[in-house]
Amino acid sequence: MARQARAIQTRTSILLAAAEVFDERGYNTATITEIIARAGVTKGALYFHFTSKEDLASGVIAAQLELGPLPPQRTKLQELLDQGLLFAHQLQHDPLTRASVGLAMDQWSESAEGGHNPFHARPFQSWADRLTEVLVEARARGELLQHVDPAEMAELLSGSFTGIQWTSQVLCQRKDLMRRVIYMFRCLLPSIAVPQILPLLELTPERAVSLLAARDAALEAEDSPTDDGREDAADAGNGAGADEKGGGA
């Protein structure tokens, strides 16, 4: 258990360091050597968790999609709202989530060759797909008005959230993000939800905090697999022969 906890902490430290370096220098000029130094780990430890600089960047981008297990709710629309509230909370309080969004929106618009970078669209499409899935289930349960198309509504919600969080970032470092997100939902919900569902939905800043507590409790309750010490072996090897992997060092 101790080894596994250390492995999780090492991976988190590497991701945080990578997010900071990518945010400061951009993906193309960031180096593996700089990320290793920032994280305070060995080359072997880094390559135990990530195979290349591209793999590292994928991990940073994926961080904004990892909300963890959320408790099921009476309605699928409440589960949709819960995802939005928790994401807004993480943008305000979690450095890795903030950095991953910054990378997706700013630094990664172009590749080294000047073309479109495939990582740029990944988080936005992933969020739209996730919301579409929830809305399809909500429609099957009779929670949506007949005219609502789940895929189109998911794109609208994802785009609206992106614009709101960016506006909040520019104006006040996202200090008012939760208020903006709640107002967005309150304006959109009457146009998509059947009237009898609306009184059942909870939209408060305090709900995000309770969701976070429930998620953390669920994670702690999960059985953890036994660590087999492979990270120790990789660390001891110090990444021999891995100098050229990822092209960043």
Side-chain angles (χ1 to χ4, degrees):
M1 293 294 292
R3 283 180 174 177
Q4 186 191 26
R6 185 168 70 85
I8 293 173
Q9 182 57 50
T10 299
R11 188 178 189 277
T12 301
S13 297
I14 293 170
L15 281 174
L16 285 170
E20 292 173 357
V21 175
F22 290 152
D23 198 31
E24 294 169 8
R25 300 176 57 80
Y27 174 77
N28 295 320
T29 57
T31 67
I32 290 291
T33 299
E34 188 174 6
I35 293 169
I36 288 171
R38 184 77 63 93
V41 300
T42 66
K43 190 175 295 183
L46 183 142
Y47 283 116
F48 173 80
H49 293 282
F50 302 98
T51 60
S52 64
K53 188 171 79 170
E54 181 177 318
D55 190 28
L56 255 176
S58 295
V60 172
I61 293 294
Q64 66 176 282
L65 304 173
E66 298 173 0
L67 293 179
L70 296 180
Q73 303 296 325
R74 289 178 59 189
T75 65
K76 299 307 292 187
L77 281 179
Q78 183 65 64
E79 293 181 13
L80 182 144
L81 299 180
D82 288 350
Q83 291 189 34
L85 291 172
L86 187 54
F87 191 30
H89 184 276
Q90 290 190 165
L91 276 169
Q92 289 181 309
H93 300 284
D94 178 52
L96 184 56
T97 302
R98 289 198 300 268
S100 67
V101 169
L103 285 170
M105 295 188 67
D106 295 335
Q107 305 288 358
W108 287 46
S109 58
E110 294 184 353
S111 67
E113 293 76 23
H116 180 69
N117 192 303
F119 288 103
H120 188 64
R122 180 180 302 172
F124 302 103
Q125 188 59 56
S126 295
W127 268 110
D129 291 344
R130 177 180 293 183
L131 295 177
T132 298
E133 181 179 348
V134 176
L135 287 167
V136 166
E137 294 183 35
R139 181 177 63 181
R141 293 188 179 191
E143 299 176 19
L144 301 183
L145 297 172
Q146 290 187 352
H147 71 273
V148 178
D149 180 275
E152 290 185 356
M153 181 53 59
E155 291 181 355
L156 176 61
L157 286 169
S158 179
S160 299
F161 191 102
T162 299
I164 285 172
Q165 69 87 15
W166 187 244
T167 299
S168 181
Q169 163 65 14
V170 171
L171 294 179
C172 60
Q173 297 297 303
R174 297 195 179 99
K175 293 179 181 179
D176 67 352
L177 178 59
M178 188 63 71
R179 175 186 65 78
R180 291 175 181 269
V181 168
I182 289 174
Y183 187 72
M184 176 195 74
F185 279 132
R186 284 178 176 165
C187 289
L188 288 176
L189 281 171
S191 68
I192 68 172
V194 295
Q196 58 268 35
I197 289 289
L198 294 176
L200 305 177
L201 302 176
E202 182 181 349
L203 264 175
T204 65
E206 294 75 21
R207 183 169 180 83
V209 177
S210 64
L211 285 169
L212 185 61
R215 183 194 68 179
D216 291 346
L219 289 172
E220 291 179 3
E222 288 181 353
D223 292 331
S224 300
T226 301
D227 185 87
D228 59 8
R230 285 177 297 169
E231 185 187 12
D232 291 337
D235 195 7
N238 200 28
D243 290 359
E244 300 303 319
K245 294 175 72 175

